Amino acid sequence: MSIADPARVSLLSLTPGGQELAERIQALWPVKCYCAEKYLKPGFTAFSGSFAATLAEAFARDEAIIVIGACGIVVRTLAPLVQDKLHDPAVLVMDEKGQHVISLLSGHIGGANELACQLAARVGATPVITTATDVNQICAIDVLVKQLGATMVDFREAVKVLNQALVSGEKVGIYFDPRTIAWLDLDLNRLDLRGLTQLKQLSEAGDCDHVLLVSMQQDLGEWSALPNAYHIVPQQLVVGMGCRRDLEPSLMAQIFAELLHERNWHPLALTQFASIDVKHDEPAILQLAQQYYASLSFFSAAQLNDSGWSGPESEFVRKTVGVGAVSQPSAWIISQGCLVGDTVKQQGMTFTFGVKKACYTW
């Protein structure tokens, strides 16, 4: 199995026959198996009081859930817990004879459809997939966005409109910004683009009902001006940073926003900031990462010295924090050596950009 970590997958069986199937699955894929206490045997954990309580715990904790039992009981138990396709785990239901694997919930983003197909192949069952895009053998936009490690403005509504357009036979074009392809080493052959029309020239967009623009850039010129365009933004931009102590957070936010605008980076492309560990409590850095909903990593002086980055260093910085540069080696580490553009030094701040090339998430 490739799309779910076995440590975050629970399998719940309701009958002795279901336990036999669970043992077959566990031999192929070491998931954690649960059953009623009266059926407890080695390799299984007893329900936490009840099937419903155990299923609720797994729903809040796990990446995927497999239930060997009837769909009805699973639906009734989960109904009060379901949030939306962006947050719910994958839920699969199997009959105890192992004839069918039903993708019940979170088929696309949660990965239930793919997991159902993989599990069915392992146990010799038939996968049951009901999502319209899969039935019509066309791509799902939410899955494509996931494959790209990307996001979209108004993601939920955009996906709803675009998936409906595809299954309704409307023409949906897709344009990949050449700069983004180069930065990320995108292999378009690895993407599920079924049903989409790849566009090379703006003139080709004229007869499309909708156009997808895949780019880490904010402004794509005439492409951005299309009235029916949707922007898919790979979240692969990383930033190494350093600053003087007690820098005003509003100043850093202003300078950084201006820098993004100057370099035409889309704010949604940001995924990670990094700095030296002595800055772990620097308000300006903490607030900037929070503002852009990005993760934040800190490295020791030894780690930065051993990063593999080579370039100009500052003796003042070395005397202050034990390493001759902060932003460049920080960005080098989190981008695995894929830096983009020159380092910017301004008003006591230093920023170095990089990209994560390994953006595929399947």
Side-chain angles (χ1 to χ4, degrees):
M1 299 297 173
S2 61
I3 69 168
D5 178 358
R8 297 186 60 197
V9 179
S10 292
L11 189 157
L12 287 69
S13 57
L14 294 168
T15 65
Q19 278 186 287
E20 293 180 10
L21 177 58
E23 289 177 313
R24 287 175 54 199
I25 294 172
Q26 195 175 44
L28 298 168
W29 189 34
V31 299
K32 188 167 185 178
C33 293
Y34 296 83
C35 67
E37 188 169 6
K38 63 182 177 180
Y39 299 134
L40 194 59
K41 61 168 62 174
F44 288 79
T45 299
F47 291 151
S48 300
S50 67
F51 165 76
T54 306
L55 185 58
E57 291 175 1
F59 194 83
R61 178 192 65 228
D62 293 334
E63 181 179 350
I65 301 167
I66 304 166
V67 178
I68 302 176
C71 283
I73 188 173
V74 179
V75 170
R76 286 192 294 271
T77 304
L78 292 182
L81 307 177
V82 173
Q83 298 181 54
D84 56 54
K85 66 169 64 182
L86 302 181
H87 300 94
D88 296 333
V91 179
L92 280 63
V93 178
M94 300 182 68
D95 62 278
E96 67 175 45
K97 295 298 184 181
Q99 295 175 318
H100 300 93
V101 182
I102 303 169
S103 173
L104 187 69
L105 189 66
S106 290
H108 287 156
I109 294 179
N113 289 353
E114 185 176 355
L115 182 56
C117 292
Q118 293 183 5
L119 183 56
R122 294 293 182 92
V123 301
T126 299
V128 180
I129 311 294
T130 60
T131 43
T133 51
D134 297 272
V135 170
N136 287 281
Q137 297 188 354
I138 54 180
C139 75
I141 300 304
D142 39 350
V143 173
L144 175 60
V145 170
K146 181 180 178 181
Q147 288 178 337
L148 288 163
T151 190
M152 302 174 71
V153 176
D154 294 329
F155 179 84
R156 192 190 313 275
E157 183 60 26
V159 166
K160 178 181 177 181
V161 170
L162 292 165
N163 281 346
Q164 182 63 42
L166 282 169
V167 299
S168 300
E170 297 180 36
K171 187 173 182 179
V172 180
I174 186 166
Y175 171 74
F176 289 90
D177 176 14
R179 292 163 294 187
T180 295
I181 292 177
W183 285 324
L184 303 183
D185 280 346
L186 277 182
D187 181 357
L188 304 189
N189 294 319
R190 294 185 61 187
L191 301 175
D192 184 1
L193 303 176
R194 291 173 301 164
L196 298 174
T197 301
Q198 291 191 49
L199 307 176
K200 299 296 184 183
Q201 305 294 331
L202 186 62
S203 59
E204 299 173 357
D207 61 346
C208 292
D209 298 293
H210 307 277
V211 176
L212 298 172
L213 309 177
V214 181
S215 178
M216 297 169 69
Q217 299 281 273
Q218 173 82 58
D219 184 0
L220 291 174
E222 291 180 299
W223 285 98
S224 298
L226 290 172
N228 55 349
Y230 293 81
H231 199 156
I232 296 178
V233 186
Q235 295 184 291
Q236 306 298 335
L237 181 64
V238 299
V239 185
M241 59 195 305
C243 70
R244 57 179 169 80
R245 176 61 66 181
D246 297 325
L247 184 76
E248 178 60 42
S250 61
L251 176 60
M252 175 174 280
Q254 175 191 338
I255 296 300
F256 187 75
E258 292 173 355
L259 183 57
L260 283 183
H261 179 73
E262 290 170 5
R263 298 199 173 188
N264 199 23
W265 291 115
H266 199 296
L268 289 178
L270 285 162
T271 187
Q272 187 177 7
F273 290 94
S275 190
I276 192 167
D277 56 7
V278 296
K279 295 294 183 180
H280 74 279
D281 59 350
E282 190 68 49
I285 291 177
L286 297 177
Q287 291 184 32
L288 191 68
Q290 184 178 33
Q291 177 182 341
Y292 289 94
Y293 302 98
S295 63
L296 180 57
S297 300
F298 293 101
F299 301 105
S300 67
Q303 288 174 308
L304 296 181
N305 275 317
D306 294 338
S307 67
W309 174 82
S310 61
E313 298 186 351
S314 164
E315 282 304 313
F316 173 77
V317 173
R318 181 172 293 280
K319 290 179 181 179
T320 303
V321 297
V323 61
V326 171
S327 74
Q328 298 95 327
S330 295
W332 185 271
I333 292 173
I334 59 177
S335 70
Q336 297 185 332
C338 300
L339 303 186
V340 179
D342 297 328
T343 294
V344 174
K345 299 180 180 180
Q346 191 171 350
Q347 299 188 50
M349 293 165 274
T350 307
F351 300 103
T352 302
F353 289 89
V355 294
K356 293 185 176 182
K357 288 183 178 290
C359 64
Y360 303 104
T361 59
W362 70 96

